Amino acid sequence: MRSSRLLWSVILIVALLTTSIFIYGFVNAIQTVVYPDGSNLTTPDEERIEDIAPSDDDIVILSLGDSLTEGTGDRSENGYVGVVKNLLEKNEEKPVFLHTFAVDGYTTSQLLDFISTQNGTRTSIKQANLILMTIGGNDMFSPGEEIIIETSREYMTNALENLDKIFAELQSLNPEADIIYVGLYNPFTEIDKDGEISLFVQEWNNEVFKITTKYKQALFIPTFDLFYKNTKNYLSSDVYHPNEEGYKRIGERIVKALQ
Amino acid sequence: MTNIYPLVRNEVLKIWKKKRFFVIVLILAVLIPIFTYAQLRVALNVQKQMGTEDWRIVVQQQIQDYENRVSSPRMQEEWKRWYIVEIQRLQLHLDQNIDPKSPNGVTFTNQFVANSVGLFLPLLVLVIAADLVAGEHSAGTIKLLLTRPIKRWKVLLSKYIALTIYVSITVLLLAAMSYLISGLVFGFNGWMQPVLTGFQVIGSELNINNINIIPQWQFLVMELGLAWFSSLVVACLAMMVSVLVRSIAAGMGIMLATLIAGTILTNMVSSWESAKYFFMVNLQTVSYLSGAVPPIQGLTLSFSLLNLSVWAMISIVISFIVFTKRDILN
Amino acid sequence: MGTKGEVLVLSVKHLKKKISNKWIIKDISFDIYEGQIFGFLGPNGSGKTTTIRMLVDLIRPTEGSIYVCGKNVQTEHDEALKNVGCIVENPELYSYLTGWENLEHFAAMLPNISKQRIQEVVEIVGMDQRIHDKVKTYSLGMRQRLGIAQALLGKPRLLILDEPTNGLDPQGIKELRIFIRNLAKEGLSLFISSHLLSEIQLMCDRVAIIRKGEVISVGNVDELLEQSTSTVLWGISPVEQGKEVLQSFQSIELIQLNDMEIDCSPASQTVATQMNPDEVSKVNEQMVKSGIQVTSIEIKKPSLEDMFLTLTEGEKID
């Protein structure tokens, strides 16, 4: 009847309109995907991240660097970063958030690139109250390969230069946050009979310490002593990364240093 | 002799009066709020974990997470490929300062359509299509329908046209309802927000030579166009089954089993390459727009569209032959 | 041959249908003329429904042809079926639509049906009261009427009704009979299948009786009745000798009647026979010659039902 006629007209008009829109969209999609016509991408503007600063209401921890920071070897998968987070949460009575940006195998040059170019990282750096970092080990040693001190020393100079730039970049982005550099330890004490490797590791640590003194927020946390005696008790099954216990010792030391 | 127009009107009104369409509205009205709530929880959860609403940090975190997974030696090759492409895709969004998941009604709709095209939307279409010929058989009205001075192919054609009309309206309804309902939670803006499209996945490489930034409304229209096409193909196949088995329940069962088998196949990350000739694994046409890794290597939008068209054409031919030739015995 | 007009409305010629290697319809031919009411009788499984479905192009014949008003149903579907209104088996209409919506639906499938015409057929079947109710609320009788209304919409020249009295009460059946008569008076031809033979006898001008897919008898109802043999009851004594005399005639058949009113047991001395009434005097003469006492001769005029049972030998499905 009359309602049927109205219903039919409405359905027909709606269907005709939507069908034509869908056909248009369908053709448009084929053009875009199957017959693409170049890109309209432009190089993004220099800095499109918002101007933000760390907040006092909570603690944002940003972790940067290599597998040590990522927590490789820890079965609970928190690493020392997780230990720091848990302890701070307990001590400070504030919400603590964690941004874990560390990647297995990162070298100083990769990290420098990472913090200079990645929007997300730069935003996070600006927001962070505390930055935790391990880097440099992969510049000088490759896991599983024989350690030749002479070769490693050749890489050291470049790594230190990069590290200096990393600190500079971090400070320019965020002049308030504490930047903690966790020093290297010697996982090879068992095979290092004449102490050659230990000496070299300490040499690196010393050079890094020199750099940290140039930046007022930077703090060098030594770990060499923590892993010097009974080393293998604190190392995971790969005899390179710390185990849960090893990470716990690092984390506790960091929190003590911050108090 | 008699025009096809009144026949189409008949069929459209019958579907409406049979309240088939209300079933669809009801399903959507119940499920979309659930999906919206789930999405809200995801967003809240991320914020709770990260202590930030800044999407860049969230995306960056995701990239780093994927990076670590890719470097893990235990990672399976197929998954690795997926992660590598995904990293490149996310990285591009970060570089272009384009939020891939900005929380608003339009983005939600975009994602909902993309997730619906493989199973949910076909199921909705099935509600109407499975009934169209089988329903006339089981009610016995087919005898009245085919004893009119109208050739059988015209009767069937009118049903196909009516079906197309409802497929269009169903897709529209899905989009409209998901926009309106999610908009209440996430806000109604986002039409002009930029999105990236034009990705081509070659092996584990994302070809970014043809990537374009387009406003989100345009992306949504393209997406709906592809979803509409996929739905139409499912509708044609359901129609063929409806013609062949003459029982609503059996027809529904067959189509359901086929579609669900398709999603299972898709999820198995098939190394069985000839599985790409099944129509079910080709239904996810929308994912080519946002550059997701196809479930089987070698699938492209053109292949999928061609494959679906062939399936649809064959089903239409079979339907017409059977429908016009068959003796109505029951 | 036709009783009313001489215009051929339906012509069925040597219709045969084979379904899964079995001949369901072996050879059916008949004609229906304008204004005629044609009855189609047959037991279940005789091929009645299959034949009707072939008439309206729901089933394609394997051999033979069907012409409606000179148009071949198979090759000129539209032109032929334009002249046909039909209800095949039950009047299955769209139960989720109202009666009126159903009529609108079928009107849309016919050329040039106005709203007035829909109103007209609603009045013809007397359904104005409930026409805007949903069909699912209708009784079977109302559905039957709506079915007829639907069949009449296109002003057909041939109306095919399959078991039209199914589910109707006696009053309804009587009304339908009058209704059908009136339609025929207006020049409409009707094809009615039924298993209610008395109904067919009351309603139809001509009748075709089919069995196992074959027409075993076709003609005007009166002619058919006249042609056929009658049941003759012989009251004779002694019974056994009398039976011998009866059996000596080739054309006489002894039968058993299942009629409770007639006692055919040997003690009653009554023998039932199937024979041509014209032969009664000849037989009687022979009886007297043989010294048999004939106490009574009763000639029963056959009903169509008797004839039907005789012809189909009471057989159901094989």
Side-chain angles (χ1 to χ4, degrees):
Chain A
M1 299 268 289
R2 181 172 296 151
S3 66
S4 289
R5 194 168 304 151
L6 180 67
L7 178 67
W8 162 243
S9 314
V10 171
I11 293 178
L12 188 67
I13 290 166
V14 171
L16 284 176
L17 277 176
T18 49
T19 309
S20 10
I21 293 172
F22 292 159
I23 291 172
Y24 165 78
F26 181 66
V27 172
N28 200 342
I30 294 177
Q31 278 171 350
T32 312
V33 179
V34 184
Y35 306 105
D37 188 22
S39 170
N40 71 355
L41 290 193
T42 47
T43 326
D45 303 347
E46 270 313 295
E47 199 86 272
R48 268 197 287 194
I49 52 178
E50 280 138 68
D51 211 11
I52 44 170
S55 147
D56 284 337
D57 303 333
D58 51 27
I59 300 173
V60 174
I61 305 173
L62 168 64
S63 68
L64 295 172
D66 53 25
S67 52
L68 285 172
T69 302
E70 205 247 321
T72 307
D74 185 355
R75 255 169 293 166
S76 59
E77 286 181 34
N78 281 322
Y80 74 88
V81 182
V83 176
V84 171
K85 176 184 185 260
N86 291 339
L87 286 174
L88 282 182
E89 226 159 27
K90 215 182 290 171
N91 298 344
E92 301 284 331
E93 289 171 349
K94 276 186 203 173
V96 180
F97 302 109
L98 194 57
H99 301 170
T100 49
F101 286 4
V103 179
D104 276 355
Y106 253 30
T107 60
T108 50
S109 63
Q110 280 172 311
L111 181 60
L112 180 60
D113 185 58
F114 181 64
I115 61 168
S116 317
T117 58
Q118 296 289 297
N119 282 339
T121 319
R122 292 169 77 78
T123 313
S124 183
I125 291 169
K126 283 193 165 197
Q127 221 184 35
N129 303 82
L130 174 64
I131 298 171
L132 302 174
M133 173 167 65
T134 58
I135 198 71
N138 294 314
D139 290 63
M140 299 174 293
F141 310 113
S142 314
E145 278 176 36
E146 202 194 339
I147 297 151
I148 304 160
I149 299 296
E150 297 315 313
T151 323
S152 297
R153 188 169 278 118
E154 280 171 29
Y155 294 117
M156 197 163 91
T157 336
N158 192 254
L160 288 169
E161 271 171 32
N162 285 335
L163 192 61
D164 196 12
K165 286 180 195 155
I166 289 167
F167 276 112
E169 186 66 32
L170 289 177
Q171 176 153 300
S172 78
L173 279 171
N174 187 337
E176 292 171 48
D178 290 313
I179 305 167
I180 288 181
Y181 180 92
V182 178
L184 291 188
Y185 58 88
N186 179 12
F188 311 114
T189 48
E190 305 265 319
I191 51 164
D192 186 26
K193 298 299 176 207
D194 50 6
E196 197 187 6
I197 301 174
S198 292
L199 277 173
F200 176 72
V201 169
Q202 271 304 61
E203 192 181 329
W204 163 265
N205 284 338
N206 280 335
E207 292 302 318
V208 175
F209 183 73
K210 278 184 204 159
I211 295 171
T212 57
T213 52
K214 295 200 289 180
Y215 302 96
K216 69 171 171 50
Q217 309 149 264
L219 183 61
F220 180 91
I221 302 288
T223 59
F224 187 88
D225 52 338
L226 295 176
F227 293 87
Y228 196 66
K229 269 183 88 71
N230 301 322
T231 309
K232 66 170 192 275
N233 291 354
Y234 304 107
L235 292 185
S236 65
S237 52
D238 63 5
V239 213
Y240 187 76
H241 293 101
N243 60 12
E244 216 174 320
E245 193 56 34
Y247 279 126
K248 201 175 147 215
R249 300 178 107 197
I250 301 175
E252 281 165 354
R253 177 168 280 185
I254 292 169
V255 176
K256 282 217 179 76
L258 284 170
Q259 277 165 345
Chain B
M1 217 167 96
T2 317
N3 202 327
I4 195 90
Y5 177 84
L7 301 186
V8 175
R9 186 182 57 201
N10 271 350
E11 295 303 328
V12 166
L13 289 176
K14 273 193 283 183
I15 295 171
W16 186 272
K17 295 267 161 70
K18 211 172 176 185
K19 306 217 159 56
R20 280 290 178 266
F21 198 62
F22 295 103
V23 174
I24 293 177
V25 176
L26 204 69
I27 295 174
L28 288 173
V30 171
L31 288 179
I32 292 176
I34 295 177
F35 290 131
T36 305
Y37 181 71
Q39 181 69 44
L40 183 67
R41 290 306 304 235
V42 170
L44 289 177
N45 215 16
V46 166
Q47 207 205 327
K48 215 165 114 190
Q49 268 183 1
M50 303 286 289
T52 179
E53 281 173 358
D54 198 302
W55 66 269
R56 294 172 198 87
I57 298 176
V58 178
V59 169
Q60 190 77 63
Q61 171 87 77
Q62 204 166 12
I63 292 177
Q64 300 316 111
D65 198 33
Y66 289 170
E67 293 261 15
N68 281 318
R69 289 190 202 200
V70 170
S71 66
S72 160
R74 280 165 303 185
M75 178 64 63
Q76 273 191 341
E77 227 19 74
E78 290 103 346
W79 280 110
K80 207 175 246 180
R81 212 162 65 80
W82 188 85
Y83 280 121
I84 290 172
V85 173
E86 194 63 5
I87 288 167
Q88 296 171 69
R89 200 179 70 84
L90 289 172
Q91 187 64 58
L92 191 67
H93 279 90
L94 213 48
D95 291 347
Q96 292 292 325
N97 206 35
I98 291 172
D99 184 355
K101 288 184 183 174
S102 74
N104 56 54
V106 186
T107 310
F108 179 87
T109 307
N110 259 332
Q111 286 175 342
F112 189 61
V113 172
N115 291 330
S116 300
V117 73
L119 189 60
F120 189 57
L121 200 49
L123 288 187
L124 294 182
V125 169
L126 213 53
V127 172
I128 289 172
D131 185 64
L132 224 43
V133 174
E136 302 270 5
H137 271 284
S138 52
T141 44
I142 188 83
K143 289 177 294 191
L144 284 172
L145 206 60
L146 297 186
T147 52
R148 305 298 108 181
I150 287 170
K151 291 193 178 63
R152 286 191 188 182
W153 66 264
K154 277 192 185 171
V155 174
L156 190 62
L157 181 62
S158 70
K159 283 185 177 290
Y160 269 104
I161 296 173
L163 184 58
T164 309
I165 287 176
Y166 275 101
V167 166
S168 293
I169 298 181
T170 304
V171 173
L172 173 77
L173 196 77
L174 179 105
M177 284 182 74
S178 90
Y179 173 66
L180 292 176
I181 295 174
S182 68
L184 290 174
V185 179
F186 300 116
F188 292 101
N189 47 357
W191 292 101
M192 296 312 292
Q193 185 192 306
V195 281
L196 291 172
T197 187
F199 299 89
Q200 282 165 303
V201 182
I202 301 156
S204 56
E205 277 302 312
L206 201 60
N207 178 3
I208 56 167
N209 292 334
N210 292 309
I211 287 184
N212 278 281
I213 298 178
I214 54 169
Q216 195 159 233
W217 67 264
Q218 199 190 345
F219 188 84
L220 184 64
V221 169
M222 294 202 290
E223 199 177 47
L224 289 175
L226 291 173
W228 172 76
F229 181 79
S230 289
S231 307
L232 215 50
V233 173
V234 173
C236 287
L237 289 163
M239 188 75 152
M240 177 185 71
V241 174
S242 181
V243 168
L244 291 180
V245 302
R246 282 169 288 167
S247 143
I248 303 169
M252 274 279 211
I254 292 171
M255 282 308 289
L256 261 178
T258 317
L259 287 169
I260 292 173
T263 45
I264 296 173
L265 263 182
T266 309
N267 288 336
M268 278 162 88
V269 192
S270 205
S271 44
W272 168 32
E273 206 172 314
S274 16
K276 70 179 178 184
Y277 294 105
F278 288 117
F279 79 93
M280 307 87 88
V281 297
N282 287 294
L283 285 176
Q284 316 253 10
T285 42
V286 171
S287 59
Y288 298 107
L289 280 181
S290 50
V293 181
I296 300 168
Q297 219 160 349
L299 281 185
T300 61
L301 182 66
S302 355
F303 178 87
S304 286
L305 293 181
L306 196 67
N307 179 283
L308 291 176
S309 310
V310 170
W311 276 92
M313 287 316 296
I314 291 173
S315 77
I316 290 172
V317 168
I318 292 175
S319 297
F320 272 94
I321 290 176
V322 172
F323 192 80
T324 51
K325 294 267 183 286
R326 184 165 57 199
D327 288 340
I328 309 297
L329 293 169
N330 61 328
Chain C
M1 215 174 150
T3 49
K4 289 193 178 162
E6 289 299 320
V7 183
L8 196 56
V9 173
L10 174 70
S11 170
V12 175
K13 289 175 186 151
H14 302 295
L15 203 57
K16 291 178 186 171
K17 178 68 186 179
K18 195 184 198 175
I19 296 175
S20 34
N21 265 329
K22 217 182 126 197
W23 289 100
I24 303 293
I25 303 298
K26 283 161 193 155
D27 190 359
I28 285 183
S29 300
F30 58 84
D31 294 318
I32 300 180
Y33 294 88
E34 193 172 52
Q36 212 169 43
I37 307 177
F38 191 89
F40 199 56
L41 293 188
N44 293 335
S46 59
K48 241 181 339 172
T49 310
T50 311
T51 308
I52 290 176
R53 284 172 185 245
M54 284 196 277
L55 296 185
V56 292
D57 203 25
L58 285 174
I59 297 181
R60 258 132 242 248
T62 316
E63 280 174 40
S65 55
I66 300 160
Y67 288 89
V68 177
C69 302
K71 305 287 182 189
N72 187 315
V73 168
Q74 272 71 53
T75 55
E76 299 160 285
H77 177 98
D78 292 6
E79 289 79 2
L81 287 181
K82 201 171 62 183
N83 298 308
V84 180
C86 68
I87 305 177
V88 181
E89 283 179 310
N90 306 316
E92 283 143 333
L93 294 137
Y94 296 104
S95 57
Y96 50 88
L97 299 180
T98 66
W100 183 272
E101 284 168 341
N102 266 290
L103 292 178
E104 274 190 330
H105 175 273
F106 293 112
M109 300 183 82
L110 292 160
N112 308 319
I113 302 292
S114 64
K115 214 172 147 186
Q116 280 77 13
R117 177 62 187 162
I118 301 179
Q119 191 57 46
E120 232 169 82
V121 294
V122 169
E123 278 159 21
I124 289 174
V125 296
M127 282 205 52
D128 343 34
Q129 295 292 311
R130 304 253 339 249
I131 197 67
H132 291 297
D133 292 350
K134 287 250 156 70
V135 168
K136 60 182 156 211
T137 65
Y138 286 9
S139 67
L140 189 54
M142 295 180 70
R143 288 179 198 208
Q144 196 70 263
R145 281 201 257 170
L146 185 62
I148 292 173
Q150 162 277 128
L152 290 174
L153 265 180
K155 294 186 178 166
R157 297 183 60 193
L158 173 67
L159 191 60
I160 297 176
L161 303 176
D162 195 0
E163 311 274 358
T165 53
N166 247 4
L168 294 188
D169 54 15
Q171 180 62 28
I173 293 175
K174 200 176 161 195
E175 279 173 20
L176 181 75
R177 199 187 303 146
I178 296 163
F179 180 70
I180 285 173
R181 278 278 165 220
N182 286 337
L183 288 177
K185 267 182 210 151
E186 286 164 25
L188 193 69
S189 308
L190 287 105
F191 177 98
I192 295 169
S193 89
S194 178
H195 62 277
L196 287 174
L197 305 147
S198 48
E199 283 304 330
I200 293 285
Q201 194 174 1
L202 285 167
M203 272 192 284
C204 300
D205 307 321
R206 273 167 74 79
V207 64
I209 299 174
I210 68 162
R211 179 169 67 108
K212 290 183 183 173
E214 280 173 298
V215 174
I216 51 177
S217 189
V218 61
N220 288 354
V221 173
D222 302 338
E223 283 172 15
L224 269 183
L225 292 178
E226 274 165 27
Q227 265 176 23
S228 70
T229 56
S230 300
T231 303
V232 182
L233 299 175
W234 298 87
I236 42 176
S237 120
V239 176
E240 289 311 312
Q241 274 106 326
K243 272 190 187 167
E244 273 168 34
V245 174
L246 287 169
Q247 273 163 340
S248 65
F249 287 85
Q250 291 271 304
S251 56
I252 296 178
E253 200 186 337
L254 296 188
I255 55 166
Q256 289 290 323
L257 284 185
N258 300 325
D259 199 327
M260 296 304 284
E261 286 167 44
I262 305 159
D263 187 3
C264 289
S265 63
S268 74
Q269 302 189 325
T270 303
V271 176
T273 57
Q274 193 74 56
M275 60 182 285
N276 193 327
D278 295 346
E279 284 186 303
V280 168
S281 57
K282 208 166 74 186
V283 176
N284 191 26
E285 203 178 318
Q286 188 62 39
M287 290 280 195
V288 176
K289 269 186 195 164
S290 311
I292 293 160
Q293 213 184 335
V294 177
T295 53
S296 70
I297 302 170
E298 192 184 341
I299 301 168
K300 290 177 80 77
K301 193 162 169 55
S303 70
L304 194 52
E305 178 138 13
D306 295 332
M307 196 180 96
F308 176 69
L309 282 174
T310 318
L311 287 169
T312 60
E313 290 155 9
E315 209 174 320
K316 293 286 174 194
I317 314 156
D318 28 34

